Amino acid sequence: MSLKKDIQAEIIHAVETVQQTNPMAGSVTNTVTINFVANAQLAVGGSAAMVYMPDEAQFLSQAGGAAYINMGTIEPVYEKTLPGMAETLHNSAKPWVLDPVAIGIGELRTRLLLAFKSCKPSIIRGNASEIIALAGLWGLDGGTKTSNVRGVDSQDTVSAAKDGAVALARWTGGAVAVSGKQDLVTNGSVVALCHGGSHFMEKITGSGCSLGGVMAVYATAAPAFIAALTGTAVYNLAGSRAAEKTDAPASFQVHFLDELYKAKPRDIAENPFDIEEI
Amino acid sequence: MSLKKDIQAEIIHAVETVQQTNPMAGSVTNTVTINFVANAQLAVGGSAAMVYMPDEAQFLSQAGGAAYINMGTIEPVYEKTLPGMAETLHNSAKPWVLDPVAIGIGELRTRLLLAFKSCKPSIIRGNASEIIALAGLWGLDGGTKTSNVRGVDSQDTVSAAKDGAVALARWTGGAVAVSGKQDLVTNGSVVALCHGGSHFMEKITGSGCSLGGVMAVYATAAPAFIAALTGTAVYNLAGSRAAEKTDAPASFQVHFLDELYKAKPRDIAENPFDIEEI
Amino acid sequence: MSLKKDIQAEIIHAVETVQQTNPMAGSVTNTVTINFVANAQLAVGGSAAMVYMPDEAQFLSQAGGAAYINMGTIEPVYEKTLPGMAETLHNSAKPWVLDPVAIGIGELRTRLLLAFKSCKPSIIRGNASEIIALAGLWGLDGGTKTSNVRGVDSQDTVSAAKDGAVALARWTGGAVAVSGKQDLVTNGSVVALCHGGSHFMEKITGSGCSLGGVMAVYATAAPAFIAALTGTAVYNLAGSRAAEKTDAPASFQVHFLDELYKAKPRDIAENPFDIEEI
């Protein structure tokens, strides 16, 4: 109970700090949902900047309060851009979020994700299959040798990814968020199960990608576990509220971004979640 | 009459199969409308995945039930990605949709489109000028040597593209869809003229590109001609319905995607079209 | 008074010409807001085409009535694409719009922006920090040696950029537009201060980028100063009207594009602005 209240106070602090300071979190992210990522970051009070070139990624890594790497649409230049960016972020102890979208597809994506192991992303966000596959790729408990990702969709349940998520969080010393019907966020010693959201979040592209970008914004103002939890909570809150206003996905997306913008710190902190120590 | 009823039954089957099986159709598509393509594919019940890298395109071609190649914004890596992708799709008899956007502009686009001739796309979708230009590029009847495409816009009428569409369909053994005020879909022996839609579809970018992606989704569940006809029908239906709800293009696009999602199999099959045997 | 009335008549002429002729303005623009740029260009009555490859940029520069270069997300191929495109535009006296987004970040962006000095863009549009930084990069009055750009955001006021804007306009012989709470447009001898808009324009990504694209559309039909002023006026008008209809950013963006489409020539010309001769 006391732990939960402490966490809620930290969530409120994170949300307020972001709304007051308009922090910048730069991204290298996929072209499919890049606009949604930027608008979600702006909606919660952050600032967005997206780049592809190696030196620009270095610049943003140092200029921003945190950064976001999303593996959605790999481009040739990523071979030069991403390893240096991740190393810079790690060496300067700058928080960064990794979304291992489509892990298992393509030689370069696999090579880059392997290289990120030593750069220890502060937050890893993915669906269940992606989290299990990343734990496997990094040789950690709870992972599998072969990826069970189908394109960008998960074939596993969130609870099946719990061991992999905990192992990843213990390796990085940060947090891991598994998105699904019920979301799981862990720092390796505590597991939060978060409720809310809407089935429409799977009927639009980018709810996961943009959540990663929003977590990066909160990571400028809070420790990894709180940042991941705050992002998850505001997404569940805005998703629930948006779903009450419509019965179809495109208008859902408009309402969802509007509700991200309107969400109050206390309402975000009070969005239902359960805490379990492990 | 009997032929039309048979076609309508096949359309209903295609729509229901997609809604029940959530099939994945991977794409290499342009950055302008890539988000619209993905959200349209999701709205009709499919799953989307977009890539640029050669080995990822190979992977998606084999993992998906169909694939989509849209030539909208050519990038340097396409020189390596697209020929191999098209060959893989052809060699494995996997259905694929080609949208020859902006045919006639640029040396690499022309070279790639020439190479696609032997890979015989299951469905070719374009506006009238694009279809005429592709027939011309491939040396078929109904084509012209010089492209009459202005940027991405058509300068020809749909009926002017009929001969080229029929010649292309006979060459590929698949289907060709010509988008316009009235849409033409042919398999080389039957021509369907499809009605509905809205003038707002020309006031938003990507109604054509996303239709190609939706046809790829239906091609996972139906022969090329039915897949092309189903995509055209659901676009005409959703376009008509969306236009009744607004008087401006951005809200039209939101309503349009919502109506794509809400469209029922029978309503799609009963959207007006005429059949003519040739 | 007479000058203002003359300008208003020219604005009406520009808007009507675009609505009647559907002119094409091709772009090389960033992936974050590329869809917004295209839809805004369509909404005001223009036609859009986006490319990356060098020969395609050359083609569009010659085929379109004007062109747009936005430096938002630099890609490796820009090294080959942009210098030739800018030279072609300059040598053929074709109007073009430059948006120096994120000036100061990255070696290639800086090198390209330096090369554009001799190609004299007809319209330069940016926020205050970008305009000051470009004047500085080009060694003109009112500029600073070091960029005060933070990612994509301005840290300076519009009035602080007045000297740099005037100096840039005098160098190019065209127009410069500084976007902010109050917008400044100058041709080097006259300064217009334009009113309206909404604070929501900073809460969505791409209001600046898409304004640059819209200015390129108007530049097909009017001199640079009038084109820049017309774009600014229709943005302020649509922004004010959209803000009356909603209290959150995503629905604001939908209303904004709808209002761009609905704006009448006279209303655009009568959107408040002040004229000052210098």
Side-chain angles (χ1 to χ4, degrees), chain B residues 31-32 107 153 203 205 250-251, chain C residues 35 39 42 47 52 55 258:
Chain B
T31 56
V32 186
E107 184 271 333
D153 298 328
K203 297 303 291 180
T205 189
S251 48
Chain C
N35 185 269
N39 276 321
L42 267 58
S47 174
Y52 298 110
D55 62 342
D258 281 355

Side-chain angles (χ1 to χ4, degrees), chain C residues 212-234:
Chain C
V214 163
M215 286 177 178
V217 168
Y218 287 124
T220 65
F225 180 62
I226 297 299
L229 207 49
T230 305
T232 302
V234 72

Side-chain angles (χ1 to χ4, degrees), chain B residues 31-33 72-76 105-109 150 152-153 199-200 202-205 247-251 253-254, chain C residues 21-24 31 34-35 38-39 42 45 47-53 55-56 59-60 75 77 254 257-258 261-262:
Chain B
T31 56
V32 186
T33 64
T73 50
I74 298 290
E75 305 194 26
I105 300 179
E107 184 271 333
L108 178 54
R109 182 181 282 108
R150 187 198 66 157
V152 297
D153 298 328
H199 74 283
F200 280 124
E202 289 173 30
K203 297 303 291 180
I204 57 172
T205 189
D247 60 350
S251 48
Q253 182 169 13
V254 174
Chain C
T21 61
N22 182 227
M24 200 262 282
T31 57
I34 190 169
N35 185 269
N39 276 321
L42 267 58
S47 174
M50 278 73 177
V51 298
Y52 298 110
M53 303 298 284
D55 62 342
E56 299 179 19
F59 178 90
L60 283 190
E75 305 194 26
V77 74
V254 174
L257 278 166
D258 281 355
Y261 172 77
K262 292 181 186 177

Side-chain angles (χ1 to χ4, degrees), chain A residues 237-258:
Chain A
L237 178 68
S240 303
R241 287 178 171 176
E244 286 168 17
K245 303 200 170 173
T246 180
D247 60 350
S251 49
F252 172 83
Q253 182 169 14
V254 174
H255 286 299
F256 174 73
L257 278 166
D258 281 355

Side-chain angles (χ1 to χ4, degrees), chain C residues 133-148:
Chain C
L134 187 64
L137 185 70
W138 288 1
L140 304 177
D141 289 345
T144 53
K145 284 276 180 213
T146 54
S147 172
N148 197 18

Side-chain angles (χ1 to χ4, degrees), chain A residues 23-29 34 41 47-69 81-82 84-86 88-89 92 94-96 216 220, chain C residues 32 71-74 101-107 109 149-153:
Chain A
M24 199 263 283
S27 300
V28 175
T29 190
I34 191 167
Q41 291 181 311
S47 175
M50 277 72 178
V51 297
Y52 297 108
M53 304 298 284
D55 63 341
E56 298 179 19
Q58 296 279 353
F59 178 90
L60 283 190
S61 297
Q62 287 168 333
Y68 179 39
I69 295 178
T81 301
L82 292 187
M85 181 182 180
T88 297
L89 290 162
S92 55
K94 188 83 71 165
W96 67 288
T220 65
Chain C
V32 186
M71 306 296 286
T73 49
I74 298 290
V101 190
I103 179 172
I105 301 180
E107 183 271 333
R109 183 180 281 106
V149 177
R150 186 198 67 156
V152 296
D153 298 328

Side-chain angles (χ1 to χ4, degrees), chain A residues 113-131:
Chain A
L113 284 171
L114 265 174
F116 292 161
K117 184 183 179 187
S118 60
C119 300
K120 300 193 174 178
S122 321
I123 299 175
I124 299 167
R125 193 219 67 83
N127 64 39
S129 295
E130 289 160 355
I131 295 301

